[in-house]
Amino acid sequence: MSLFLIVALPFLGALLPGLMNQAGRDACSGVTFMVSLAAFIGLLTNLPSVLAGEVVTVGIDWMPLLGLNFTLMLDGLGFFFAFLILGIGLLIIAYARHYLSRDDNMGEFFTYLLLFQGAMVGIVLSDNILLLLVFWELTSLSSFLLIGYWKHLPEGRQGARMALAVTGMGGLAMIGGMLILGQIVGSYELSVILQHRDLIQADPLYVPALLLILLGAFTKSAQFPFHFWLPHAMAAPTPVSAYLHSATMVKAGIFLMARMWPVLSGTPEWFVLVTGAGLITMVLGAVIALFKHDLKSVLAFSTVSHLGLITMLLGTGTAFGAFAAVFHILNHATFKAALFMSAGIIDHETHTRDIRRLGGLRHLMPITAVIMTIAALSMAGVPLLNGFLSKEMMLEESTQTVMFNTWWLVPALATLAALFSAGYSFRLIAHTFFGPKRDDYPAAPHDPGFGLWGPPAFLVVLVVTIGVAPFLVEDFVKIVTASVLGTTAELPHAYIKIWHGLVPALYMSLAAVGGGVILVIMHSVLQKIWDATPRPEAKVIFDATISSFVSLARSLILPLHNGAFSRYAAIAAVTIIGAGYFAWITGVQGAATRAPQAATPVALAGWAMLVAATFGLVFLHRNRLLALIMMGIVGLMVSVGFVYFSAPDLAMTQFTVEAVTIILLLLALNFMPNRSPVESTVLHRVRDAFVAVAGGFGAMAMAWHYLLRDAVATPISEFHLANSYKGGGGTNVVNVILVDFRGFDTYGEIIVLGIAALLIYALTETLLNGPVRARLLNRVPDQPRAGGMHPMMMVVLTRVIMPVVLMVGFYIFMRGHNEPGGGFIAGLIVSIAVVMQYMASGFSWASSRLRYPYHGVIGAGVLLAGLTGIGSWFVNKPFLTTDFTYVRIPPFEKFELATAAIFDLGVLLAVVGAVMLTLESFSRLARTAHTKDSVHPMDIDPSRQASTEEGA
Amino acid sequence: MTHWLIVPIILPAILAPFIVLAARYHIGIQRVFSLVGVSAQIVLGLALMWQASDGTVMIYQLGDWAAPFGIILVGDRLSTMMVLLTAVLALLVMLYTIGSRWDERGRHFHALFQFQLMGIMGAFLTGDIFNLFVFFEVLLIASYGLMIHGGGNARLRAGTQYVLFNLVGSTLFLFALGAIYAETGTLNMADLAMRVQMVSPDATVGIRLAAVLLLLVFAIKAAIVPLHVWLPSSYAEAPGPVAALFAIMTKVGAYAIIRVYTLIFPPDHGPTAGMHDYWLMVAALATVALGMIGVLAAKKLDRMVAFAVIGSMGMVMLAISLFTPQGIAAALYYMVHSTLAAASLFLIVDMVKDSRANLRLQATWPVAGAVPTAALFFMAAIAMAGLPPLSGFLGKLLILDASFGNGSVVWIWSFVLIGSLISVVAFGRAGSTLFWKARSIRMPEDVDPGPAPSTLSYVAVGGLLGLLIAHTVFAGPVTAYTTSIAEQLFAPDAYITNVLETPGKLSTPADGGGH
């Protein structure tokens, strides 16, 4: 079967359990089993080529530019691991079917399990190391889901997060390591990388790469000091513990070290790091395991210890070490998975995993007792079982290993670990199955059905078979070892034998087993000493680390983002000024190319007024009305400035904008307190003053600089000046720029105006539908109200003046193309005409005479402008292309007809609509506050008002 | 004469006023027009991208005026890709809006939505820097309207900050435009590219100031530290679908930086050396760090996602700040990813929000529709944190790979990898609290968690995640395309000649080039 399919099957099959969940537990587990079985058989079809020493590869490009390709390869090592993953996976699925209770969502469980299986198979079959990383992190993620499967248990959630954090960290470090490795070699394909041992080890980046990759491997395989997550992962359902956290996932780190062995091993750095970490882990795990009471905890720490053992073997860098490591991987997977499943059975039947509450189970659960005892004896390294064989090889290897120039260090530690290993294994047997029968088990223990004991029994048969007849697997182990070694070392000539003669390893082994027995006998004493010894608790440290990071992060982030706008503005201003200053001082200023003009008295006076108004604004801004007046002065002075510099269009625009804005702002101020409260401290104001002054000087410097210098080439405005009449049909260049040269900008800006009005309307609407409405209704004005709301003089005057103003607007609009004026200004003038009516006679009266809703006016204006633009498509010209012609209708003079005028009409409408909609929105707020708004144009008849009030 | 290039801008600009004019009281009609509009945008985006894919630079002279005198739209590989991305995002967000009935919670949602699209599309397509300002205004004002859609005190307050801060940006933009026009006398980007080269090395202050101020303007839009302060509360308080649409808004800033600082101020341009080519990376690193720390610090889910957006903008900026074709290609790949991931997360946040009292990262009873929502959150969080198998991981690899050889490679790698770890931890905590721990809490009798999110909402989020998967699976062709975009950006001659040498109204062969 294609390797693609072997990897893909579990992923595709992961959809099935969820789907079949409804159909019952058997159907659900059945499909899962079939999926795994298909992949397993697929793997076996490749066995002949593996046995023949071939490497099966397939691949397709994924991201060739990066070098990340979907390439898979199957050699002895890959086959070995895939065989374990899929084979044990089958047993686990069968076991889990009977283990999970009816309350557990089996579909979810098997979905996660298959995802994990696929990811794991992916790791061991990847040829591309970046692809391997993808699968690597996927195992972390699926493991996260599986550990947290019982979501209601806090241990599950915490264990899941801890595992994710630790293995995630390793995975991220490994990304770095793999990228460096790929950069050194120039390829991310393992098949290429493995050929370049010398290149890699000579590279200065070898050590960083090694460190990063080992960080990944150590975290995944729970090596010291990252071993602490594994015991907490035991909160997962037991099938998960058996599968992920003993037989497969935690071996991914081991796999990686074995995979990279040909190119990374053999250096002093590798030896010290790998063997060192392995030795410490091996001893530490074994010692802790002896003193744990939870069956799964004992097994978890023993797994840590055994992983350390394998790591240590890989670290020695010798062919024999690798040989022993491969063999122990196989043996450990068999006996440890069996042990976990047995522990699960005990938990399932007695409802406890606490070893202190157990004992005497050999009579009640004989089948389980046999299975577990054999597996535990294998773990202890008792002859005729497979654990003995590989442990002997480990001890043999340790006698050959000299660390820190001390010949006894490694053998002593290895023996010590083996001793404790024997100790906890014996304790497991003794305290669970032996001793007197008790009458206080949480549930009545009895052997489970075949479904639960079948899978571990099968594994135990393997344990015994390999233990008695190691030659059955020897060839296979050698093929695997050969693929670990690659071209780096020769396959060792050793054989796996039960009897090696009276070699040191035998004595060490004897010492270990004997010592183990003594440990069990002395256990209660030792336990007391252990309990009395203070020890760092990994979970406490981990939690404290995380929460201190969180509080550190909070103290950094939260004060900065506290929502104070003045602070945000200060940050922005300081950044802008600072960056501008940096650009300024690092540049070359160059000489001025223009002479400054002399300051005339008029200009000086205007300047003085601007300055005075600005200062006034700064000092009087708490009085909002005064502030508005000051702003009005600034605006008017700017308009005057435009006049002074011969820009009548701008002046007119600015002037009308000022008028309309002030009216609208006055209306808005109506709803606000008269004064703004003091919200800042003196310190804040001093800070702001500094920032503001710096900003002011910056702006001045900029203006000074640019005004005295010509552009590097002729400005485009020259073209506009030269061609406004010829190409745009108008002599008012400003207007031609607005409606023709850059009509598209104007189009955008009227849309901005329209949106602004729409959103003011929407905002008002929201306010009136919310709690603000009540506040408005109950508002007591802080200023005395005028006696007559609609004074007669004003009403009369505005009525009379309205047609005049409209006429002016029309005139300004019409002349716009050639003389100062245009749609924008005209729109504002027309708005003023209407606004006056509102001011004079109030909202109700004015709006009841409204024939076209302002929304519609805005929409129509923008549409008209847009459609004018589209109109030019019909003559095959781009959007907004203008055309004009001159016509003469006697008795008038010749006049111009320009399409730009229609566009300008759109502008006019949009401006009128926007201004009026804004006004209307504000008025709606006002009307809600004063419900007495009259529907009559004037307040001339006191009796009428009274009668309205009575009626109301 | 074909007009396709302008249609992505004009279509919403016609639809929106039409909706206001004729259908402002009819939500059903608005939805139809809105949906048809965004669907048509996708077709347009595809067509334009296909047109540009062979390296053609399409131009459209508004008012028939030749550059640099009139405004010009330019469709090259980069801008058309952004148009398509926007269109796709808009469609899915629109589906969610309709599914969650967000559009009924205030006025003018669809009109504002269309105007917003117009602004974004315009910003991507324009070849004129003043016109870019105009579109920034359009999208700012429309986004403000969308942001405060539905009202509420917290939202209005955040909206005020948002619009005020961005108005600071707009003002700065005007300063920058004044500076650049005073220095060069032109506003067309291609023409600017030519004229900036004419700046004498003896008088560089003017152009340096212009370049820096412009960068700051775009940095505000792109939420680069320290100009990001407006983002967390605005995105957190905005209605869910609006926040999702905003995922493209920060990219407008990134786009502008890519465009302006490859075309106008290329990294090898002497007079502007030593500024953005150095400091942008520092800011980007700070942005990555701040974003990720913020993700860990956040006490509420919506803020957490907002900080994740800042962090991912930091990643994009990091890649851009390498100023190499490889870096830009990586940035573009990551940008697409980040847009889709952020949008899907914001939509999921909205799903969660609907049946909880608040979004604090504390366990309460399970939300309505918890199981599918949790699954979607898991996927989106994986994408955002940059874990395999989704495109965030590939994007991260691309960025790390592209930074090889850069002097700051150690910094980049450390920030990116440690940042990812922090976000993995933070997302793990948040997800397990919100969705797992909730299982252990019994539902109070008197609380109604409300209905589960509608099918259409799930379709929208599923669509975004589906696109992320596609972005991952087809990473090969996508990166090949982003590489071709980067190549086009670093060889701007075709762009410049095409823009400047196409004659328009009143052009004679002599002044057709504009010089």
Side-chain angles (χ1 to χ4, degrees), chain B residues 268-290:
Chain B
D268 54 357
H269 179 239
T272 51
M275 298 193 302
H276 52 274
D277 46 351
Y278 178 78
W279 287 103
L280 188 61
M281 181 174 290
V282 177
L285 286 173
T287 310
V288 171
L290 184 127

mmCIF file of all heavy atoms in Angstrom, chain B residues 268-290:
data_model
loop_
_atom_site.group_PDB
_atom_site.id
_atom_site.type_symbol
_atom_site.label_atom_id
_atom_site.label_comp_id
_atom_site.label_asym_id
_atom_site.label_seq_id
_atom_site.Cartn_x
_atom_site.Cartn_y
_atom_site.Cartn_z
ATOM 1 N N ASP B 268 17.167 50.498 -1.015
ATOM 2 C CA ASP B 268 18.512 50.905 -1.406
ATOM 3 C C ASP B 268 18.580 52.381 -1.797
ATOM 4 O O ASP B 268 19.572 52.838 -2.354
ATOM 5 C CB ASP B 268 19.004 50.024 -2.569
ATOM 6 C CG ASP B 268 18.024 50.044 -3.727
ATOM 7 O OD1 ASP B 268 16.960 50.679 -3.596
ATOM 8 O OD2 ASP B 268 18.330 49.408 -4.763
ATOM 9 N N HIS B 269 17.531 53.117 -1.497
ATOM 10 C CA HIS B 269 17.509 54.530 -1.867
ATOM 11 C C HIS B 269 18.317 55.334 -0.850
ATOM 12 O O HIS B 269 17.956 55.405 0.321
ATOM 13 C CB HIS B 269 16.057 55.019 -1.914
ATOM 14 C CG HIS B 269 15.925 56.455 -2.270
ATOM 15 N ND1 HIS B 269 15.323 57.369 -1.448
ATOM 16 C CD2 HIS B 269 16.348 57.143 -3.354
ATOM 17 C CE1 HIS B 269 15.360 58.567 -2.025
ATOM 18 N NE2 HIS B 269 15.975 58.443 -3.181
ATOM 19 N N GLY B 270 19.390 55.939 -1.311
ATOM 20 C CA GLY B 270 20.341 56.593 -0.426
ATOM 21 C C GLY B 270 19.763 57.644 0.503
ATOM 22 O O GLY B 270 19.923 57.560 1.732
ATOM 23 N N PRO B 271 19.077 58.659 -0.028
ATOM 24 C CA PRO B 271 18.627 59.748 0.839
ATOM 25 C C PRO B 271 17.705 59.320 1.975
ATOM 26 O O PRO B 271 17.619 60.014 2.987
ATOM 27 C CB PRO B 271 17.885 60.671 -0.135
ATOM 28 C CG PRO B 271 18.503 60.402 -1.445
ATOM 29 C CD PRO B 271 18.862 58.952 -1.451
ATOM 30 N N THR B 272 16.996 58.192 1.822
ATOM 31 C CA THR B 272 16.111 57.791 2.924
ATOM 32 C C THR B 272 16.675 56.588 3.678
ATOM 33 O O THR B 272 15.937 55.894 4.376
ATOM 34 C CB THR B 272 14.706 57.444 2.395
ATOM 35 O OG1 THR B 272 14.850 56.513 1.324
ATOM 36 C CG2 THR B 272 13.972 58.676 1.935
ATOM 37 N N ALA B 273 17.971 56.357 3.552
ATOM 38 C CA ALA B 273 18.549 55.186 4.216
ATOM 39 C C ALA B 273 18.602 55.399 5.726
ATOM 40 O O ALA B 273 18.618 56.523 6.208
ATOM 41 C CB ALA B 273 19.948 54.930 3.675
ATOM 42 N N GLY B 274 18.638 54.286 6.450
ATOM 43 C CA GLY B 274 18.828 54.354 7.896
ATOM 44 C C GLY B 274 17.555 54.644 8.666
ATOM 45 O O GLY B 274 17.600 54.927 9.855
ATOM 46 N N MET B 275 16.417 54.614 7.993
ATOM 47 C CA MET B 275 15.161 54.861 8.730
ATOM 48 C C MET B 275 14.286 53.619 8.742
ATOM 49 O O MET B 275 14.432 52.775 9.599
ATOM 50 C CB MET B 275 14.453 56.054 8.115
ATOM 51 C CG MET B 275 15.311 57.311 8.224
ATOM 52 S SD MET B 275 14.408 58.797 7.862
ATOM 53 C CE MET B 275 13.836 58.457 6.235
ATOM 54 N N HIS B 276 13.387 53.536 7.755
ATOM 55 C CA HIS B 276 12.464 52.397 7.808
ATOM 56 C C HIS B 276 13.187 51.075 7.603
ATOM 57 O O HIS B 276 12.752 50.062 8.118
ATOM 58 C CB HIS B 276 11.351 52.560 6.780
ATOM 59 C CG HIS B 276 11.833 52.832 5.398
ATOM 60 N ND1 HIS B 276 12.110 54.097 4.947
ATOM 61 C CD2 HIS B 276 12.095 51.998 4.378
ATOM 62 C CE1 HIS B 276 12.502 54.031 3.687
ATOM 63 N NE2 HIS B 276 12.500 52.775 3.321
ATOM 64 N N ASP B 277 14.298 51.096 6.869
ATOM 65 C CA ASP B 277 15.003 49.839 6.642
ATOM 66 C C ASP B 277 15.618 49.313 7.929
ATOM 67 O O ASP B 277 15.971 48.146 8.016
ATOM 68 C CB ASP B 277 16.070 49.994 5.543
ATOM 69 C CG ASP B 277 16.899 51.244 5.734
ATOM 70 O OD1 ASP B 277 16.541 52.062 6.592
ATOM 71 O OD2 ASP B 277 17.909 51.396 5.026
ATOM 72 N N TYR B 278 15.722 50.153 8.943
ATOM 73 C CA TYR B 278 16.244 49.682 10.217
ATOM 74 C C TYR B 278 15.156 49.637 11.296
ATOM 75 O O TYR B 278 14.944 48.626 11.946
ATOM 76 C CB TYR B 278 17.394 50.579 10.672
ATOM 77 C CG TYR B 278 17.969 50.185 12.018
ATOM 78 C CD1 TYR B 278 18.836 49.109 12.126
ATOM 79 C CD2 TYR B 278 17.601 50.863 13.171
ATOM 80 C CE1 TYR B 278 19.342 48.722 13.348
ATOM 81 C CE2 TYR B 278 18.104 50.482 14.410
ATOM 82 C CZ TYR B 278 18.978 49.412 14.486
ATOM 83 O OH TYR B 278 19.469 49.032 15.706
ATOM 84 N N TRP B 279 14.457 50.767 11.443
ATOM 85 C CA TRP B 279 13.560 50.913 12.591
ATOM 86 C C TRP B 279 12.272 50.115 12.454
ATOM 87 O O TRP B 279 11.644 49.777 13.444
ATOM 88 C CB TRP B 279 13.240 52.400 12.819
ATOM 89 C CG TRP B 279 14.420 53.094 13.396
ATOM 90 C CD1 TRP B 279 15.298 53.912 12.743
ATOM 91 C CD2 TRP B 279 14.898 53.001 14.733
ATOM 92 N NE1 TRP B 279 16.287 54.332 13.592
ATOM 93 C CE2 TRP B 279 16.062 53.792 14.823
ATOM 94 C CE3 TRP B 279 14.453 52.323 15.876
ATOM 95 C CZ2 TRP B 279 16.783 53.919 16.003
ATOM 96 C CZ3 TRP B 279 15.181 52.456 17.042
ATOM 97 C CH2 TRP B 279 16.332 53.249 17.103
ATOM 98 N N LEU B 280 11.866 49.843 11.217
ATOM 99 C CA LEU B 280 10.629 49.084 11.066
ATOM 100 C C LEU B 280 10.768 47.716 11.711
ATOM 101 O O LEU B 280 9.833 47.200 12.319
ATOM 102 C CB LEU B 280 10.269 48.953 9.582
ATOM 103 C CG LEU B 280 8.898 48.349 9.334
ATOM 104 C CD1 LEU B 280 7.805 49.195 9.940
ATOM 105 C CD2 LEU B 280 8.638 48.170 7.841
ATOM 106 N N MET B 281 11.943 47.119 11.595
ATOM 107 C CA MET B 281 12.123 45.799 12.181
ATOM 108 C C MET B 281 12.065 45.862 13.703
ATOM 109 O O MET B 281 11.465 45.001 14.344
ATOM 110 C CB MET B 281 13.439 45.186 11.722
ATOM 111 C CG MET B 281 13.639 43.807 12.309
ATOM 112 S SD MET B 281 15.072 42.987 11.667
ATOM 113 C CE MET B 281 14.553 42.649 9.999
ATOM 114 N N VAL B 282 12.665 46.902 14.253
ATOM 115 C CA VAL B 282 12.613 47.050 15.709
ATOM 116 C C VAL B 282 11.156 47.156 16.158
ATOM 117 O O VAL B 282 10.719 46.476 17.096
ATOM 118 C CB VAL B 282 13.405 48.297 16.129
ATOM 119 C CG1 VAL B 282 13.306 48.506 17.630
ATOM 120 C CG2 VAL B 282 14.849 48.166 15.702
ATOM 121 N N ALA B 283 10.411 48.007 15.438
ATOM 122 C CA ALA B 283 9.001 48.179 15.798
ATOM 123 C C ALA B 283 8.245 46.872 15.617
ATOM 124 O O ALA B 283 7.361 46.528 16.411
ATOM 125 C CB ALA B 283 8.380 49.284 14.960
ATOM 126 N N ALA B 284 8.571 46.142 14.567
ATOM 127 C CA ALA B 284 7.866 44.880 14.306
ATOM 128 C C ALA B 284 8.138 43.879 15.418
ATOM 129 O O ALA B 284 7.226 43.190 15.877
ATOM 130 C CB ALA B 284 8.296 44.318 12.960
ATOM 131 N N LEU B 285 9.383 43.828 15.856
ATOM 132 C CA LEU B 285 9.708 42.910 16.958
ATOM 133 C C LEU B 285 8.920 43.303 18.208
ATOM 134 O O LEU B 285 8.344 42.455 18.894
ATOM 135 C CB LEU B 285 11.203 42.952 17.259
ATOM 136 C CG LEU B 285 12.110 42.249 16.247
ATOM 137 C CD1 LEU B 285 13.569 42.501 16.574
ATOM 138 C CD2 LEU B 285 11.842 40.757 16.228
ATOM 139 N N ALA B 286 8.886 44.600 18.474
ATOM 140 C CA ALA B 286 8.130 45.063 19.636
ATOM 141 C C ALA B 286 6.656 44.704 19.477
ATOM 142 O O ALA B 286 5.976 44.354 20.454
ATOM 143 C CB ALA B 286 8.299 46.564 19.806
ATOM 144 N N THR B 287 6.165 44.786 18.258
ATOM 145 C CA THR B 287 4.757 44.478 18.014
ATOM 146 C C THR B 287 4.469 42.997 18.272
ATOM 147 O O THR B 287 3.461 42.655 18.893
ATOM 148 C CB THR B 287 4.382 44.846 16.576
ATOM 149 O OG1 THR B 287 4.825 46.168 16.323
ATOM 150 C CG2 THR B 287 2.893 44.766 16.366
ATOM 151 N N VAL B 288 5.357 42.150 17.782
ATOM 152 C CA VAL B 288 5.182 40.717 18.046
ATOM 153 C C VAL B 288 5.161 40.482 19.553
ATOM 154 O O VAL B 288 4.258 39.830 20.092
ATOM 155 C CB VAL B 288 6.333 39.901 17.413
ATOM 156 C CG1 VAL B 288 6.276 38.460 17.880
ATOM 157 C CG2 VAL B 288 6.267 39.966 15.904
ATOM 158 N N ALA B 289 6.131 41.074 20.247
ATOM 159 C CA ALA B 289 6.234 40.843 21.688
ATOM 160 C C ALA B 289 4.994 41.363 22.394
ATOM 161 O O ALA B 289 4.369 40.647 23.182
ATOM 162 C CB ALA B 289 7.483 41.525 22.231
ATOM 163 N N LEU B 290 4.620 42.582 22.082
ATOM 164 C CA LEU B 290 3.481 43.166 22.779
ATOM 165 C C LEU B 290 2.206 42.382 22.502
ATOM 166 O O LEU B 290 1.408 42.125 23.402
ATOM 167 C CB LEU B 290 3.300 44.621 22.367
ATOM 168 C CG LEU B 290 2.181 45.281 23.160
ATOM 169 C CD1 LEU B 290 2.668 46.556 23.793
ATOM 170 C CD2 LEU B 290 0.954 45.521 22.345
#
